[in-house]
Amino acid sequence: MQKEQLKGKEEGSTFKDKKGWEFIIKESIIRDSLSGEIATEYESVLNYLTATEFLQSLTNMEEEAKQTRELISTIKEGLFEVCNVDKRKIPTSELWRIIKRGKKNAFKSALKNKYHFHQLFLKSLLQRPLNLRRANIFTSNYDLAFEYAFDNLGIHYIDGFTGFHKRFFKPETFEYDIFYPGSTTSGKVQRIEKVVRYIKLHGSLSWINSTQRDSNNLYGIEEKTLDVIDKLDKKGEIIIYPSAVKKSYTLDLPYSELFRQFATTITQPQSVLITVGYSFYDEHFNDIIYQALSNPTFTLIIVDFAGTKNLEIQRLKDLNDPRIIILEGEFFGDFLTFADTLMPNFNEGSSAENIATTLNSLLTTK
């Protein structure tokens, strides 16, 4: 997988990719210069194997296809470990980025809580007026970083699953909302503030196929905690799909419903889509986003480190469309900056946050 990248590079040499990440050649293998981890992406390998298994199945190479499926399961197990962010330390490179910005308080907060910047982003997002539509977060990531941040902040999220001990996929729940009960005098109801719609377009580490279907589980998709999946030895069965095959897989559930939600949401009048770290290499995402640009009230804000060094983002810039805003570079094109600096904060030091801080201080065991 690294053969092309190694051409013209000497042992021990370092280089940077278009995103500015630095790599080193050690023992003829490209590794991250800070962590030393092999730089080949699991998803690229999974991508290749999935396409191979498809071709083998078409040509009646059943034995070869079976071996490839076993290898795919092994790769998924590796992805499970790599993307299980709650068990991984914050990369040194991420901590250096915080230090370079002179954010001492943010650095201390990130050391204590690896989801600090996710929580900052969510706090700002939830300050939207309640008379607006619910905020939507669409992600192509498999990890549970946002789920952990939701739990830390007490945020309810509507993700297409229902149930408590047994959580099954039910797409109709995307249309649900959460309200306080109506007053006995006025008969009015009030929406609960801390609610977002959260949709994982490429699947999740916590999704697996159920062993059986019934009236409560028509689609055969179940959500479990990562420790349960680990104990049940189901890591190789997680429901995730890589980029090369995703456009065909999105015809099937749950992907057809997830992408329908994405398309319906961003094509509504006066919608604003903010992409963070998205390279515009996904054809299906692009088709939906470009369709939304036919709406005169749609706004697209692109936050990306490489920015216009990416040919597709440059192509969007060349349109000279005032509805397309591009934030790029080491500062403006970074999620840390976006969450900590650029997202508005109208209620800094809100009463709810002050109460939470007080209770945490009182209840923390020294």
Side-chain angles (χ1 to χ4, degrees):
M1 299 295 291
Q2 294 187 343
K3 190 177 293 185
E4 290 298 320
Q5 293 174 287
L6 284 168
K7 285 183 178 178
K9 296 182 177 67
E10 297 179 356
E11 178 70 19
S13 63
T14 60
F15 67 95
K16 291 184 178 181
D17 67 2
K18 62 183 180 181
K19 293 182 179 179
W21 296 339
E22 187 173 277
F23 300 93
I24 187 169
I25 312 296
K26 286 186 178 180
E27 299 176 353
S28 299
I29 296 175
I30 300 175
R31 299 178 180 272
D32 179 85
S33 62
L34 291 174
S35 67
E37 293 184 358
I38 297 175
T40 299
E41 297 179 358
Y42 276 90
E43 188 174 276
S44 298
V45 179
L46 186 59
N47 199 341
Y48 172 78
L49 291 174
T50 304
T52 300
E53 189 272 334
F54 177 73
L55 291 174
Q56 289 169 340
S57 299
L58 282 180
T59 53
N60 296 319
M61 301 171 63
E62 286 304 322
E63 186 60 33
E64 291 83 352
K66 180 182 177 181
Q67 293 175 357
T68 303
R69 284 192 291 271
E70 291 174 354
L71 190 51
I72 288 172
S73 179
T74 302
I75 296 296
K76 284 186 176 182
E77 291 178 4
L79 266 174
F80 185 93
E81 298 297 338
V82 169
C83 297
N84 190 355
V85 292
D86 209 45
K87 289 187 176 181
R88 291 175 64 86
K89 294 181 179 179
I90 301 176
T92 307
S93 56
E94 294 293 311
L95 294 174
W96 272 112
R97 285 162 62 198
I98 301 171
I99 294 171
K100 284 173 65 177
R101 284 170 172 73
K103 300 280 186 179
K104 291 184 179 179
N105 291 334
F107 177 76
K108 293 177 182 177
S109 298
L111 286 177
K112 294 178 182 178
N113 174 18
K114 65 180 71 176
Y115 311 112
H116 170 70
F117 289 96
H118 287 79
Q119 292 177 200
L120 285 179
F121 171 80
L122 290 170
K123 286 177 184 178
S124 297
L125 186 67
L126 289 172
Q127 290 173 18
R128 301 165 74 249
L130 282 176
N131 62 326
L132 297 177
R133 294 190 298 267
R134 290 293 191 192
N136 296 269
I137 299 176
F138 297 93
T139 181
S140 61
N141 293 345
Y142 313 132
D143 63 57
L144 273 62
F146 267 114
E147 285 93 329
Y148 291 125
F150 292 145
D151 288 346
N152 289 346
L153 295 176
I155 294 172
H156 301 277
Y157 57 98
I158 299 168
D159 65 349
F161 286 81
T162 61
F164 184 73
H165 293 293
K166 293 185 177 181
R167 290 180 54 77
F168 301 124
F169 181 69
K170 290 189 176 181
E172 61 268 26
T173 61
F174 284 124
E175 310 307 323
Y176 291 0
D177 208 332
I178 304 175
F179 294 82
Y180 289 110
S183 167
T184 54
T185 55
S186 63
K188 294 180 179 179
V189 294
Q190 180 182 354
R191 287 206 305 179
I192 288 179
E193 296 179 9
K194 290 186 173 183
V195 178
V196 298
R197 297 173 76 241
Y198 182 59
I199 300 172
K200 305 185 82 167
L201 295 168
H202 282 179
S204 176
L205 298 184
S206 59
W207 299 1
I208 59 172
N209 289 308
S210 298
T211 54
Q212 62 183 40
R213 297 189 183 190
D214 55 34
S215 59
N216 288 322
N217 185 20
L218 294 175
Y219 304 101
I221 300 167
E222 191 171 354
E223 184 176 32
K224 292 184 178 294
T225 60
L226 300 192
D227 58 336
V228 169
I229 292 176
D230 196 356
K231 289 177 182 177
L232 293 175
D233 198 22
K234 295 282 188 179
K235 293 185 289 185
E237 300 176 27
I238 54 177
I239 301 178
I240 56 173
Y241 289 109
S243 56
V245 292
K246 63 185 170 294
K247 197 164 183 178
S248 60
Y249 270 116
T250 51
L251 298 174
D252 301 326
L253 279 166
Y255 299 96
S256 58
E257 179 59 32
L258 301 176
F259 276 84
R260 188 186 72 82
Q261 289 291 332
F262 180 46
T264 300
T265 300
I266 70 170
T267 53
Q268 292 179 3
Q270 298 183 332
S271 293
V272 178
L273 175 65
I274 302 172
T275 67
V276 181
Y278 173 53
S279 61
F280 285 83
Y281 289 152
D282 187 307
E283 292 181 17
H284 204 161
F285 285 179
N286 291 352
D287 290 346
I288 296 171
I289 293 170
Y290 298 161
Q291 180 186 355
L293 284 169
S294 65
N295 181 348
T297 62
F298 173 71
T299 301
L300 173 62
I301 301 174
I302 300 170
V303 181
D304 187 78
F305 185 95
T308 50
K309 293 178 182 177
N310 178 310
L311 295 178
E312 192 63 22
I313 295 177
Q314 179 62 50
R315 192 166 77 92
L316 287 169
K317 182 182 178 182
D318 291 341
L319 296 174
N320 291 319
D321 189 327
R323 298 174 301 156
I324 301 174
I325 301 166
I326 301 173
L327 304 176
E328 60 183 315
E330 185 177 356
F331 183 77
F332 288 107
D334 186 56
F335 176 70
L336 305 187
T337 301
F338 188 74
D340 183 65
T341 307
L342 300 182
M343 285 288 284
N345 188 351
F346 302 112
N347 300 314
E348 190 170 2
S350 66
S351 57
E353 189 171 338
N354 289 335
I355 291 171
T357 301
T358 299
L359 289 174
N360 286 334
S361 299
L362 284 173
L363 299 175
T364 298
T365 303
K366 294 185 179 180

